[in-house]
Amino acid sequence: MVVLRGLRRRWDAYKYRFVPWLAFNVRRQRRTLRYVPESSQDKIISDEDVFETLLKVFTALLVNDFSRQVPALALLPGVQRRYARLRAAGLEPAGSPRGRQSQREPLSPEDVLFRTLGFSLARERSSLLSAGTGVFVSQGSAPQGAVVAMYPGTVYRKHEPIFFQSLGNPFIFRCIDGILIDGNDKGLSRSVYRSCSWRDQLGPFQMSDVSWLTAAPQNPLAVGQYVNNCSYEKAANVCYQEFDVPRHFPVELKQYLPNIVYSHEIERLAVCQRAHRFV
């Protein structure tokens, strides 16, 4: 009996991220899941707002880490000068000596997020029974309509191999069009993501972020895979929205994108990001 209860608890914690179960429950339990009849209607906030938020956060992260970015940015002199001006404008209060400011230690990614959007996030153990790790606002507050997280991981099209990665994996997310995102930061999933990331690196420029696989992600928004589902007792306070990163996304900021496509033959550079917001 104890074993059965243990298995039931594990299933209750797992079933909401199991793809067939999730698809089945979209039909049976629309009151607990956001029902989207077709992808064209999957827009709670505009793509322009999502794009501007990502640019704002990623730019702040790069400016905060400017000294480490200099070698790569030297290949793009115009871009380097622009970020240098942003750094000077943001880090040097009126009347302060330049030398003193240049010695200032960079902020943590969480503090950068707080200064940029007015809130920061933390991955912590949930107080809900069998909920596991969750995502919490640790500083400030997230206003309605704000992008609060991104779902990281390897992006797979329908015909691409994901069977072995999916075994015992509660972090596979199914997009509206059937594309899957493997947000597991351990085991085979971790190895596949890192391999694809190294494959796509362009000189000194990284095309994706691998730090979300660690306990200290450089993109503080890359925690969406740990956002817990709503329960019967409490309604969801976030929901997901799909966003394709456009081709013209700045190359120097792609190092903060926590997604990589499994197949290098995909022509579009867009990846299926998950943008969550408070409702």
Side-chain angles (χ1 to χ4, degrees), residues 61 64 105-114 120 139 217-218 220:
L61 290 169
N64 181 65
E105 290 293 326
L107 300 173
S108 68
E110 292 75 22
D111 287 338
V112 171
L113 181 62
F114 177 67
S120 58
Q139 295 185 80
Q218 65 175 352

Side-chain angles (χ1 to χ4, degrees), residues 21-276:
W21 177 274
L22 181 61
F24 181 71
N25 275 294
V26 166
R27 183 171 62 254
R28 294 192 58 185
Q29 299 182 9
R30 292 181 185 177
R31 69 182 183 84
T32 62
L33 295 170
R34 186 167 68 89
Y35 176 62
V36 182
E38 55 184 77
S39 58
S40 62
Q41 301 180 28
D42 177 43
K43 297 299 171 189
I44 300 172
I45 56 178
S46 69
D47 281 351
E48 291 75 16
D49 288 341
V50 176
F51 181 75
E52 290 300 322
T53 297
L54 297 186
L55 281 185
K56 187 176 182 180
V57 174
F58 293 179
T59 297
L61 290 169
L62 191 148
V63 170
N64 181 65
D65 193 32
F66 183 76
S67 59
R68 191 177 66 85
Q69 303 287 335
V70 167
L73 292 178
L75 299 176
L76 304 171
V79 174
Q80 183 182 28
R81 287 193 294 270
R82 181 167 66 87
Y83 285 108
R85 288 194 296 269
L86 290 173
R87 182 175 185 270
L91 296 182
E92 296 179 3
S96 64
R98 288 180 178 267
R100 185 187 308 170
Q101 292 300 317
S102 64
Q103 297 174 5
R104 178 177 295 178
E105 290 293 326
L107 300 173
S108 68
E110 292 75 22
D111 287 338
V112 171
L113 181 62
F114 177 67
R115 288 195 175 190
T116 306
L117 298 185
F119 65 89
S120 58
L121 305 173
R123 290 182 294 182
E124 297 178 358
R125 185 76 179 178
S126 175
S127 59
L128 299 177
L129 183 63
S130 301
T133 300
V135 177
F136 302 88
V137 175
S138 56
Q139 295 185 80
S141 61
Q144 181 175 342
V147 175
V148 297
M150 303 174 70
Y151 200 100
T154 306
V155 180
Y156 293 87
R157 292 179 294 176
K158 295 179 181 179
H159 65 277
E160 292 175 334
I162 194 175
F163 175 76
F164 289 106
Q165 297 93 307
S166 70
L167 297 177
N169 184 354
F171 295 108
I172 295 179
F173 196 102
R174 184 180 185 275
C175 299
I176 294 172
D177 58 3
I179 287 177
L180 301 177
I181 304 178
D182 183 3
N184 193 358
D185 56 10
K186 297 178 177 62
L188 179 59
S189 300
R190 173 190 177 96
S191 298
V192 169
Y193 185 93
R194 293 180 70 90
S195 176
C196 291
S197 180
W198 292 331
R199 175 201 68 197
D200 290 352
Q201 187 167 336
L202 182 63
F205 295 103
Q206 294 179 334
M207 296 293 102
S208 61
D209 176 25
V210 296
S211 68
W212 69 271
L213 297 169
T214 71
Q218 65 175 352
N219 175 4
L221 294 176
V223 293
Q225 79 276 37
Y226 286 107
V227 173
N228 284 322
N229 298 284
C230 60
S231 64
Y232 288 106
E233 292 76 25
K234 295 184 179 181
N237 60 359
V238 296
C239 56
Y240 80 87
Q241 177 174 310
E242 298 180 12
F243 173 70
D244 289 330
V245 176
R247 286 180 176 271
H248 62 273
F249 199 84
V251 66
E252 72 277 6
L253 297 181
K254 289 183 178 180
Q255 61 183 296
Y256 301 110
L257 292 174
N259 295 88
I260 195 76
V261 291
Y262 178 79
S263 175
H264 68 280
E265 297 176 354
I266 297 179
E267 292 184 359
R268 62 175 184 168
L269 296 178
V271 293
C272 191
Q273 307 283 358
R274 320 311 317 169
H276 293 72

